[in-house]
Amino acid sequence: MNTENDPYPHSGGMVQISESQVSRAAIAEAAREAKRGAELARKDPKDLSPAEFDELNAILALNNDQYPFAEKFATALGPSRTLQF
């Protein structure tokens, strides 16, 4: 990509993919985290213990920009529950 004539000089240019996020190990870890996060997110917020709430918050904070996690989390939660969540 020719970055010298970039019409958006403050953008990062092309999408850059971190190879560490698409390795088999990273995808497996994302699937485990998403499964646990979805289990907690399915519960009624009133039924979550403080420790479970903190765990869910930590899972979402650590994976907020991770594509494999987002895909697995939304799939595990389902479309309507994802929107409700």
Side-chain angles (χ1 to χ4, degrees), residues 4 7 9 23 26 30 42-44 54 58-60 65 68 74 77 80:
E4 292 175 9
S23 70
R42 279 189 202 105
K43 290 184 175 183
D44 186 348
D54 290 343
I59 289 170
L60 295 174
D65 62 350
L77 207 52
S80 61

Side-chain angles (χ1 to χ4, degrees), residues 5-6 22 30 48 84:
N5 297 325
D6 188 6
V22 292
L48 287 175
Q84 183 182 16

Side-chain angles (χ1 to χ4, degrees), residues 40-56:
L40 293 171
R42 279 189 202 105
K43 290 184 175 183
D44 186 348
K46 297 173 191 169
D47 295 336
L48 287 175
S49 70
E52 289 174 326
F53 184 81
D54 290 343
E55 181 183 1
L56 177 59

Side-chain angles (χ1 to χ4, degrees), residues 7 13 16 20-21 23-24 27 46 48 73 79:
Q16 298 177 359
S20 65
Q21 293 180 353
S23 70
R24 288 180 189 231
I27 292 171
K46 297 173 191 169
L48 287 175
F73 181 78

